[in-house]
Amino acid sequence: MLYPAGWGSDKVQLYCGPDAAPYRAGLCSMGWAFYTAMGGTVLTFICAVFSAQAEIATSSDKVQEEIEEGKSLICLL
C-alpha cells in the first residue's frame, strides 16, 4: 500500500507527467517486479496454510508412534 505513495515527488512527475500523484501513475505503468512481488507474497501465505495443514495431520499420538517405529510418513492433502 505504501509503494505508490512516492508517486507525487518531483522526479516521478518529471518521468510520468504532471498527472502523477500518490496512487495515480499518470503516464507510467506498473512494472513486472511489482506484480512478481505481490505474487510472491500470496504464495508465501499459501505455503503457510499448507504447512499448518501438515502440522495438524502429523500432530496426533498415533502418527508420532508410527514415526518412532521407523515408518515413513507422507502427507497428502
Side-chain angles (χ1 to χ4, degrees):
M1 289 176 24
L2 294 176
Y3 174 71
W7 287 352
S9 70
D10 294 333
K11 222 177 222 187
V12 173
Q13 287 185 346
L14 178 68
Y15 292 123
C16 299
D19 293 333
Y23 300 97
R24 288 184 46 207
L27 300 175
C28 293
S29 64
M30 299 293 254
W32 62 269
F34 176 76
Y35 295 113
T36 302
M38 291 298 111
T41 303
V42 169
L43 289 175
T44 299
F45 283 110
I46 291 171
C47 288
V49 169
F50 284 149
S51 68
Q53 292 297 322
E55 175 65 27
I56 291 169
T58 60
S59 63
S60 71
D61 291 333
K62 182 179 178 184
V63 172
Q64 291 298 327
E65 289 172 5
E66 289 182 11
I67 292 173
E68 290 171 2
E69 291 174 5
K71 294 183 179 178
S72 295
L73 180 65
I74 300 174
C75 293
L76 301 174
L77 296 177

